[in-house]
Amino acid sequence: MKEMNVDVAPQRVKWYKRFLRDVSTTGFNVTGDMKRVIPKKDLPKQPKRKDKVVF
């Protein structure tokens, strides 16, 4: 758990930002040939709390 909560935490923040950027610019596949782009105003804000991985 230390590895996921401490060592990988800074990388995980980058993953979140990249994911939100990708769905707001290139979108994601809703079905096989239909893609949806989510406007930036509709994306959730990053929570102020820290992420925690639990098993």
Side-chain angles (χ1 to χ4, degrees), residues 5-55:
N5 287 323
V6 178
D7 300 338
V8 180
Q11 184 68 27
R12 190 170 43 242
V13 171
K14 293 177 186 176
W15 293 335
Y16 289 152
K17 288 180 182 179
R18 182 176 177 191
F19 171 76
L20 293 174
R21 184 193 69 219
D22 290 349
V23 297
S24 67
T25 55
T26 60
F28 67 97
N29 287 337
V30 178
T31 62
D33 62 344
M34 193 160 87
K35 202 170 226 188
R36 178 168 186 246
V37 175
I38 300 176
K40 288 187 179 189
K41 65 179 179 120
D42 293 338
L43 291 174
K45 301 293 180 205
Q46 176 127 1
K48 300 209 184 283
R49 64 176 171 75
K50 285 185 162 185
D51 292 329
K52 183 177 181 183
V53 177
V54 292
F55 292 97

